[in-house]
Amino acid sequence: MPRAAETPPDSRAAAWLRRLRSLPVALAAVAVALALSALFPRAAIHDAVTGAPIAEARLHRPLGYVLLSPVSAVLDTLSLLSVRQHVALLLSLIVIFVVVWWFFGRDLINAVSPGRRMVRAFARVGVAVVLLLAVYSAVAVLPRPMAAIETGADIIAVDFHAHTRFSHDGRSNLSVERVRDWHRDAGYAAAYITDHRTFEGARDGWANNPARAGENVVLLPGIEVGWNGEHVNVLDADRFYSGLLTPDNRDIDEQALTLASAIGGGEPILIETLPGDLSRMHAAAGTGTAGVRAIEIIDGAPRGLGQTRRERSRIIQLADSLDLALVAGTDNHGWGRTAPGWTLMFLPGWRSASPEVLSKGITTVLRRGARGSTKVVERYVADTERGWRLPLTLPLVGWGVLRTLSADERIVWMIWLVTIYLAWRIREMRRAGLVEL
């Protein structure tokens, strides 16, 4: 009997790597990671300043969110990545694609004519690009259940930075009521409409507010404008302060701001928004002075998320030294179904308050309490903004996702893994002619 030719070493390596390509191996790897991550659990939300667990609130995951947990977790996490993390993630996926193609697809492509080889190569790249675009499109526009914060009776969750379709950069179908619904689904009780250069959205939201705050999300008036070369949100700029802005509503009128701030206890609340240049921020010097009285420690835009993570220590130091309140802003423009953070404030009786009383209560607490007036809750995602961690964004963020899963979500993940395996097994048996459907 002729002796079989010995398999070249490089073919052996390719064959070994092809075994790793099999779906059961991939599913088993996910199952092992899922089990290991249960040994190192981490809360899905934490204090944005200290990183400690939050006693005043919990993250509620509705049933639909839990049943779709593998999808919910992936899409939520992509919503919470900064620009740098998105770039690192995409580069990692490109590297993985090239490696997989080199070991697993090269033989199939080389086995055909040069013309068909080029077609197959472009087809594989095209499929990968379409899948990637589909995932990111799902992040931006797919309707799905949201994870929401739940607080105690006297604690209110506020968003200090939201937009509507009236902003030049707002999603075209982002009506005021869609903004209200989005914030309700995320667990907010109040949100400031801070469109660019217009009060249309803020006025519409105010006109259709519930009679009492506890009945639905209260939309409060504000605007995002320029001041000293920085972007700031001005709370109650239209309803309680007139003539505070330039005629085009683009910038703050310096003289008008000084006059409006001269009355102690009634100074306009200016919030420094990010991304921005913190060295150019002009903070209020105390009662009766004009200036910024709060600063974002979370901003939901990808660039804002990046800066607030990279400069977290500096933001906290500025807030401590200048006695500034720390707040969270979703910077929601109508894309995505994930809240990056919530501002918690202790405001007894807020549920029975009218919108006007609630608005005055929030600004009063910010003026009087300043640095001690808020606690900011942050949705956890592994921070890989700097140094050696950035190139490892994919594995570190993925590991972080598994660590934050609840017990119910882990069960759902296992059910998904088993279901996918059974579907694959049935398909393989059909190919072998062992079953017929």
Side-chain angles (χ1 to χ4, degrees):
M1 176 179 287
R3 186 176 179 181
E6 186 175 353
T7 305
D10 58 335
S11 297
R12 290 176 183 170
W16 181 79
L17 286 169
R18 285 192 181 90
R19 293 191 193 101
L20 294 181
R21 181 181 58 173
S22 66
L23 184 61
V25 173
L27 295 177
V30 175
V32 170
L34 192 63
L36 288 176
S37 65
L39 302 176
F40 307 95
R42 183 184 178 99
I45 56 174
H46 60 239
D47 188 315
V49 175
T50 66
I54 293 290
E56 298 88 346
R58 60 180 289 269
L59 189 69
H60 170 67
R61 302 167 174 94
L63 179 60
Y65 185 97
V66 173
L67 294 178
L68 294 172
S69 183
V71 175
S72 302
V74 171
L75 299 188
D76 276 12
T77 301
L78 288 175
S79 299
L80 297 172
L81 296 183
S82 67
V83 172
R84 290 187 182 187
Q85 288 177 308
H86 280 294
V87 172
L89 176 67
L90 292 176
L91 290 176
S92 297
L93 292 176
I94 290 172
V95 170
I96 292 173
F97 178 81
V98 170
V99 171
V100 171
W101 187 357
W102 178 262
F103 285 106
F104 303 143
R106 187 175 48 165
D107 292 344
L108 292 175
I109 292 178
N110 292 340
V112 298
S113 63
R116 294 184 65 187
R117 187 181 307 166
M118 184 67 67
V119 171
R120 286 193 176 185
F122 277 108
R124 287 183 174 230
V125 173
V127 169
V129 171
V130 168
L131 289 175
L132 188 62
L133 290 176
V135 171
Y136 272 91
S137 297
V139 171
V141 302
L142 184 67
R144 56 191 178 87
M146 291 183 72
I149 199 168
E150 290 185 343
T151 64
D154 292 329
I155 298 175
I156 186 171
V158 185
D159 179 10
F160 285 92
H161 191 170
H163 296 272
T164 71
R165 64 183 179 88
F166 294 104
S167 274
H168 68 274
D169 53 358
R171 188 176 173 183
S172 60
N173 66 345
L174 186 59
S175 67
V176 169
E177 291 312 307
R178 282 179 179 266
V179 173
R180 198 189 307 275
D181 293 343
W182 189 94
H183 282 84
R184 183 188 62 245
D185 291 345
Y188 294 98
Y192 281 87
I193 301 299
T194 56
D195 286 327
H196 301 273
R197 308 181 194 177
T198 178
F199 292 109
E200 289 184 77
R203 290 169 181 169
D204 191 0
W206 181 268
N208 292 282
N209 272 331
R212 295 290 178 264
E215 297 171 1
N216 202 348
V217 176
V218 176
L219 298 181
L220 302 172
I223 193 168
E224 184 174 355
V225 294
W227 187 52
N228 289 334
E230 290 294 289
H231 275 230
V232 295
N233 284 342
V234 186
L235 308 187
D236 300 329
D238 180 47
R239 186 163 179 80
F240 299 111
Y241 303 100
S242 60
L244 196 62
L245 310 177
T246 55
D248 59 0
N249 289 335
R250 182 170 183 169
D251 298 290
I252 289 178
D253 183 299
E254 188 75 35
Q255 184 176 4
L257 177 64
T258 301
L259 290 173
S261 302
I263 302 175
E267 306 91 341
I269 300 292
L270 272 59
I271 298 176
E272 176 80 3
T273 69
L274 298 175
D277 185 352
L278 294 176
S279 65
R280 301 178 65 176
M281 181 185 71
H282 179 74
T287 302
T289 63
V292 167
R293 296 181 181 275
I295 182 173
E296 288 184 334
I297 193 172
I298 297 174
D299 182 281
R303 290 176 59 229
L305 288 171
Q307 183 176 4
T308 54
R309 288 169 186 162
R310 290 192 305 274
E311 301 189 41
R312 180 66 54 88
S313 297
R314 184 182 180 192
I315 292 171
I316 296 171
Q317 188 274 329
L318 285 172
D320 289 340
S321 61
L322 301 174
D323 198 22
L324 303 177
L326 291 170
V327 301
T330 63
D331 202 0
N332 179 32
H333 286 75
W335 309 104
R337 297 282 293 171
T338 310
W342 300 261
T343 309
L344 303 187
M345 303 181 70
F346 182 67
L347 205 62
W350 68 265
R351 296 178 190 273
S352 60
S354 67
E356 185 166 354
V357 171
L358 178 65
S359 179
K360 290 182 178 179
I362 291 173
T363 54
T364 298
V365 170
L366 289 175
R367 288 191 197 94
R368 293 178 179 175
R371 175 66 179 86
S373 63
T374 65
K375 175 172 285 190
V376 179
V377 178
E378 183 176 36
R379 187 77 183 272
Y380 172 76
V381 66
D383 184 4
T384 60
E385 275 293 310
R386 298 170 296 275
W388 61 270
R389 297 172 65 88
L390 185 59
L392 298 178
T393 292
L394 179 58
L396 292 179
V397 168
W399 177 246
V401 169
L402 296 179
R403 292 180 63 195
T404 60
L405 295 177
S406 66
D408 292 342
E409 287 180 297
R410 292 184 187 279
I411 294 173
V412 169
W413 275 66
M414 291 304 299
I415 292 174
W416 274 59
L417 293 176
V418 172
T419 301
I420 293 172
Y421 171 76
L422 292 177
W424 173 87
R425 187 63 181 166
I426 291 172
R427 190 195 69 168
E428 293 299 304
M429 293 175 68
R430 288 184 63 192
R431 283 184 174 182
L434 298 177
V435 295
E436 294 184 5
L437 296 178

